[in-house]
Amino acid sequence: MSLIPVEDALARLLAGVAPTPAEDLPLGEAAGRVLAADIAAARTQPPFPASAMDGYAVRAADVAVGTPLRVIGESRAGRRFEGNLGPHQTVRIYTGAPVPPGADAILIQEDADPSGDGGIVPRDTVSPGQFVRPAGLDFAEGEVLLRAGRRLDPRAVALCAAMSRAGVPVRRRPRVAILSTGDELVPPDAEPGPDQIVSSNNFGLAALVREAGGEALDLGIAADDLDAIGHAAGLAVDADILVVTGGASVGDHDLVQPALVARGMTLDFWKIAMRPGKPLMVGSLAGMRVLGLPGNPVSTMVCAEIFLRPLLKAMLGQPPQAPAEAAILGATMKANDRRQDYVRARLEPSGGRLVAVPFPRQDSSMLATLAAADALIVRPPFAPAAAAGDAVAILRLDR
Ligand code: AMP
Ligand code: MG
């Protein structure tokens, strides 16, 4: 049986995936969304030379210790001093206020004593430009400061506001319908029967989808029955992606593929050279990309990291893959077989290096170790046995 290498499977999954359409949102509603276009500043910031301190606007060349300066007015944030600064004059100034023409520096108030006749006497000299924010220090009108694909995190939102971008073009959230299959599954708030277990996959997947910037539609749990699976899949209206978990192997009760084919799915490929996750399936149905993931909870979540997250990123116009990082192995590992292995590991900083310590048990039903893991060690097909101290590639889970 031939297995498709992970990289090939990912390339085939992403081939021809177009970003979702752009929509314009008021900035106040755009947090967490992904920019659909580069964003340029609509104005210059600061728009005028501004004081960075409370003190006195001065001509640096005039300032000598003990030589009085005449105070001719005041400039505060929101109300500038209308006039020019002449020789041996100064203007009382506050943080954020426009620096009057003629002035080129700020004498901080701690360095000024009253002269007795309403003026001041400097206690220190200043250099030209000191505590003055030149116009455009932060950015200039027309400057592109945020690129398409940038997620609008709080810092980016603040910058958009400062740039006078009160509305921003963002990608429509990719819509992902999620269906769990299995006679044994009950929701987390139900009491499982004697042979039943709690379904975790739909919850983990929905959380991943939302974290990645998508919209999750939980279709619930379908029994291991062709009609039940087909009917539930039919509820995925308007979705961009349909993810079905469980029923993905070739057992008598693994009905996802035939159920979806019966509904018109074109099977693209399945069976990937990876662990966990060999029976992963990719197809398309009614305009949706279909991902069939193996039911074991760790397989589901790892496959979602490796395939679903990049697919969502591609739909959001982002680089699909986070690059692997280098780490040092913290334990021995056996030689690998033909499947690329994703091994749950803790990360421990040690002497400036990152040490990846694999969990001793890697059964793909063990969600607790997945939740405790910081990263997945990526072991390529046929990787030779490795010793503690060897270099390994890791994918962080806490991006
Ligand atoms: P399957 O892919 O249907 O053969 O399922 C493989 C294993 O994963 C079985 O032990 C299932 O009980 C378990 N499993 C399947 N779906 C889920 C789910 N939604 N949540 C938790 N475990 C599941
Ligand atoms: Mg099953």
Side-chain angles (χ1 to χ4, degrees):
M1 178 183 66
S2 85
L3 298 178
I4 301 169
V6 173
E7 284 67 26
D8 296 0
L10 192 57
R12 286 173 69 171
L13 172 67
L14 300 181
V17 171
T20 56
E23 55 193 22
D24 285 309
L25 279 188
L27 183 58
E29 293 167 25
R33 303 293 294 269
V34 174
L35 285 174
D38 294 349
I39 303 294
R43 63 183 74 256
T44 294
Q45 172 60 21
F48 43 77
S51 177
M53 296 295 251
D54 291 341
Y56 295 87
V58 295
R59 303 150 68 105
D62 278 0
V63 179
V65 177
T67 306
L69 299 172
R70 196 155 66 85
V71 180
I72 59 166
E74 180 183 270
S75 180
R76 48 183 154 122
R79 189 174 313 167
R80 70 173 58 225
F81 170 75
E82 303 285 356
N84 285 3
L85 205 71
H88 298 290
Q89 295 181 336
T90 185
V91 162
R92 180 71 168 121
I93 198 165
Y94 299 94
T95 305
V99 174
D104 62 0
I106 307 298
L107 176 72
I108 60 171
Q109 60 192 25
E110 292 84 343
D111 286 343
D113 290 321
S115 67
D117 59 355
I120 57 150
V121 184
R123 264 199 235 170
D124 202 354
T125 56
V126 297
S127 43
Q130 187 167 308
F131 299 127
V132 175
R133 298 173 179 149
L137 172 69
D138 196 0
F139 51 79
E141 183 182 342
E143 234 181 288
V144 172
L145 298 170
L146 296 168
R147 294 282 172 190
R150 167 75 184 246
R151 184 159 193 170
L152 288 167
D153 55 65
R155 294 171 294 126
V157 170
L159 179 58
C160 283
M163 292 193 291
S164 285
R165 292 295 174 187
V168 282
V170 297
R171 293 277 162 219
R172 172 171 70 63
R173 284 196 182 97
R175 291 191 275 261
V176 184
I178 298 164
L179 175 64
S180 286
T181 69
D183 287 341
E184 74 282 27
L185 303 173
V186 297
D189 56 354
E191 188 61 35
D195 302 326
Q196 291 186 306
I197 61 163
V198 172
S199 171
S200 53
N201 289 347
N202 31 346
F203 283 81
L205 289 171
L208 184 147
V209 165
R210 292 189 187 112
E211 184 190 83
E215 198 175 293
L217 170 67
D218 190 347
L219 301 177
I221 299 164
D224 288 315
D225 172 272
L226 283 175
D227 290 337
I229 296 169
H231 173 77
L235 300 175
V237 276
D238 281 345
D240 301 298
I241 303 170
L242 169 64
V243 182
V244 186
T245 77
S249 296
V250 285
D252 291 344
H253 306 286
D254 293 324
L255 303 172
V256 166
Q257 209 177 106
L260 296 182
V261 167
R263 279 198 81 87
M265 179 184 77
T266 311
L267 177 67
D268 195 344
F269 60 90
W270 71 304
K271 290 188 182 159
I272 317 296
M274 69 185 288
R275 180 187 309 99
K278 184 175 77 170
L280 182 133
M281 174 197 82
V282 172
S284 36
L285 169 63
M288 298 179 289
R289 279 313 243 165
V290 181
L291 267 183
L293 305 183
N296 264 311
V298 175
S299 311
T300 287
M301 295 310 291
V302 170
C303 287
E305 286 293 343
I306 305 301
F307 293 99
L308 179 57
R309 195 186 286 274
L311 181 56
L312 289 167
K313 285 187 165 184
M315 288 183 172
L316 289 166
Q318 298 176 316
Q321 272 181 290
E325 289 173 61
I328 303 297
L329 195 55
T332 55
M333 295 188 92
K334 289 188 302 190
N336 195 18
D337 62 10
R338 63 181 175 155
R339 288 157 68 182
Q340 180 146 298
D341 215 345
Y342 294 89
V343 181
R344 281 152 276 167
R346 278 182 297 118
L347 294 181
E348 290 174 358
S350 156
R353 301 187 315 174
L354 207 51
V355 177
V357 185
F359 287 92
R361 297 196 65 179
Q362 293 282 333
D363 188 279
S364 57
S365 67
M366 293 167 67
L367 265 186
T369 49
L370 181 66
D374 303 305
L376 300 169
I377 298 174
V378 185
R379 297 268 290 154
F382 304 110
D390 287 356
V392 280
I394 58 158
L395 294 173
R396 282 183 194 267
L397 290 168
D398 60 352
R399 270 162 288 147

